[in-house]
Amino acid sequence: MTFIIMILLVPFVMYAIWLGTPKQKLVIAIIDKSILNKSRADHLSLTWILNNNKYTKTSKELYDSKRDYFGFHPLNDVSYEVKGLERFSYEQLEQLSTDCKMAYYFDTYGVYNVDWYGDEKPYGVLYGGLSSQDIQFLRLMKAKNKHIVAEFDLLGGPTTIENRKDFEDEFHLRWTGWTGRFFSELDLEKNKDIPNWVKDNFEKEHQKKWDFNGTGIVLVKGNQILVLDGKDLKTAYPIIWSTQGARKKYGIPEKTAYSFWFEIIDIDTSINQADANFKLDVSDSGHKKLRELDIPNEFPAIVSNKKGNFRFKYLAGDFSNGHSPMWTSYFKGIDKLQYIFGEEHEMAHSNEFYTFFYKPLLKNILEECADGN
């Protein structure tokens, strides 16, 4: 009975500790342009960690995941509001860069007509892409030595070639155009998460039917599709290997399985460093397929600048895809009990990645920013 009472008291104690934790103002410009459903938005993960650690947008107010971001804001039915930086003048961007300590860019893939209206409207972009105002804002943040964090899919369509090049030149990296994802099942009848365009483009390019099954990794560049299936892979899913310095600095594990979308980028190693790398553990046949398309089997996962008077990190994967229920953020120490409360995830290994890799990484990045380091 005593044990049961103690167990029941744990949530109350955790909540009481959270209430007693002092608030700390940390102003962040959160940019998220790809929101179809606010309950599944990528920036929820950041908001959870901000709230759990009592970081506030003002001296008193906590962050609200449904309101406190720049980008696409769904309303009721098919109505929406666009509240991005595109409406800002240079003077307003200048003021925002002064007020903020960090800019965090999530997915800029955007929202397409077919996603929002279905087949009622012609194909095209409703809103999205890295804009010229975004570039201006990032330059201002960089010039003021503010913290900048950007995630996967910043540089792909619908970002223009000009804006992509401006970003690449500003932050000394290059997008190769290749993106990829692990799938627990390649059989289209068993796995409806594989987009139809992947199958269609593969069959058009290779002039043969999609007949894959089992686990695999799909790599995409424009209309090009490369499939690495069981015979091409020694390890089914991509692995993130972290450097010793990153493990110490961010509290992340040496080796982590990863099962969401990722992208392949090159970095200028005279300016930037890879704190962690993706590795595709391929067989001889997998190596052959990659070599034919000049695709590396190891490439940066976390990039940070090691030179230059600015503070920049690029996460080359859809790291923020998973998240915990927002109500759990009001319990201090709940991250130690995530397996009890459960994580929202879509595929194998996502729970491990989100709990043991992304959360500590983001928590330490925020602490570094709040402390002014």
Side-chain angles (χ1 to χ4, degrees):
M1 179 63 71
T2 302
F3 177 75
I4 294 175
I5 293 173
M6 289 178 64
I7 292 295
L8 293 174
L9 283 174
V10 167
F12 294 99
V13 173
M14 295 168 73
Y15 182 61
I17 295 173
W18 181 84
L19 283 175
T21 301
K23 293 178 178 178
Q24 183 176 3
K25 184 178 177 181
L26 181 60
V27 182
I28 301 176
I30 301 169
I31 295 89
D32 193 345
K33 302 189 180 186
S34 303
I35 300 175
L36 291 172
N37 183 335
K38 288 197 176 186
S39 67
R40 299 295 302 169
D42 280 355
H43 70 267
L44 289 176
S45 52
L46 173 60
T47 308
W48 191 99
I49 295 174
L50 288 169
N51 287 352
N52 189 243
N53 291 278
K54 296 293 278 287
Y55 291 120
T56 57
K57 62 182 179 180
T58 67
S59 57
K60 294 182 179 180
E61 287 186 275
L62 293 170
Y63 281 86
D64 184 335
S65 63
K66 294 183 179 180
R67 184 180 67 237
D68 297 325
Y69 69 95
F70 297 102
F72 189 84
H73 288 251
L75 299 175
N76 298 320
D77 300 321
V78 293
S79 59
Y80 63 90
E81 290 181 328
V82 173
K83 298 179 179 180
L85 299 186
E86 293 76 20
R87 62 204 166 117
F88 280 32
S89 66
Y90 181 83
E91 290 73 23
Q92 289 172 315
L93 293 173
E94 168 71 35
Q95 185 60 54
L96 182 62
S97 67
T98 299
D99 295 339
C100 292
K101 293 192 72 173
M102 175 187 284
Y104 199 122
Y105 273 77
F106 288 90
D107 196 339
T108 62
Y109 174 78
V111 176
Y112 284 69
N113 284 328
V114 67
D115 299 322
W116 193 249
Y117 296 108
D119 297 328
E120 298 175 11
K121 294 286 183 80
Y123 183 81
V125 182
L126 189 60
Y127 173 70
L130 195 66
S131 67
S132 57
Q133 288 83 3
D134 291 316
I135 297 294
Q136 285 181 326
F137 176 59
L138 288 167
R139 284 173 172 156
L140 289 166
M141 292 290 286
K142 178 183 175 183
K144 295 176 181 178
N145 197 23
K146 301 295 185 76
H147 287 259
I148 297 169
V149 182
E151 280 201 23
F152 162 83
D153 216 11
L154 197 72
L155 302 175
T159 295
T160 64
I161 295 174
E162 181 182 10
N163 287 343
R164 179 193 307 153
K165 187 176 186 307
D166 284 344
F167 183 92
E168 291 174 334
D169 291 345
E170 198 71 43
F171 296 105
H172 308 279
L173 56 79
R174 186 182 68 84
W175 184 60
T176 67
W178 283 105
T179 61
R181 181 179 166 178
F182 163 82
F183 288 101
S184 57
E185 178 55 67
L186 293 173
D187 188 322
L188 299 174
E189 293 298 319
K190 298 178 181 178
N191 188 357
K192 302 302 181 183
D193 287 336
I194 300 177
N196 288 331
W197 57 263
V198 170
K199 166 188 171 290
D200 294 341
N201 286 351
F202 174 87
E203 293 184 346
K204 184 177 180 180
E205 178 188 1
H206 298 278
Q207 295 296 301
K208 64 179 181 180
K209 289 289 186 181
W210 178 285
D211 60 353
F212 299 100
N213 58 73
T215 59
I217 295 172
V218 175
L219 294 161
V220 180
K221 183 178 183 180
N223 293 326
Q224 285 184 281
I225 305 290
L226 173 64
V227 180
L228 301 174
D229 61 10
K231 68 178 180 299
D232 301 317
L233 296 163
K234 295 179 181 178
T235 304
Y237 41 82
I239 297 291
I240 297 178
W241 290 91
S242 307
T243 65
Q244 184 176 359
R247 298 198 301 271
K248 182 178 180 180
K249 186 174 184 179
Y250 302 119
I252 55 180
E254 179 183 15
K255 177 184 178 182
T256 309
Y258 181 78
S259 53
F260 295 120
W261 284 99
F262 59 87
E263 61 190 347
I264 300 176
I265 61 171
D266 292 328
I267 63 173
D268 180 348
T269 54
S270 68
I271 303 292
N272 292 321
Q273 65 185 18
D275 293 321
N277 284 293
F278 289 111
K279 185 172 183 180
L280 308 181
D281 188 14
V282 291
S283 64
D284 290 342
S285 63
H287 267 298
K288 183 175 183 295
K289 286 184 177 181
L290 292 176
R291 281 198 305 270
E292 287 174 350
L293 294 173
D294 197 27
I295 301 173
N297 73 313
E298 190 169 347
F299 41 91
I302 302 175
V303 176
S304 63
N305 66 297
K306 62 182 179 180
K307 186 179 178 182
N309 190 29
F310 62 102
R311 304 176 186 189
F312 171 72
K313 288 182 176 60
Y314 192 85
L315 313 180
D318 194 9
F319 287 3
S320 57
N321 186 285
H323 60 268
S324 303
M326 192 56 67
W327 64 267
T328 63
S329 68
Y330 305 110
F331 296 86
K332 197 66 176 176
I334 197 169
D335 52 326
K336 309 298 182 185
L337 304 174
Q338 288 299 291
Y339 285 122
I340 295 176
F341 286 93
E343 298 285 354
E344 295 182 23
H345 57 92
E346 300 177 358
M347 56 193 76
H349 310 296
S350 59
N351 190 27
E352 175 189 350
F353 172 80
Y354 180 68
T355 302
F356 296 111
F357 189 94
Y358 186 66
K359 271 189 176 179
L361 172 67
L362 197 49
K363 181 180 178 181
N364 280 284
I365 289 174
L366 292 173
E367 286 178 357
E368 185 180 80
C369 181
D371 293 341
N373 297 325

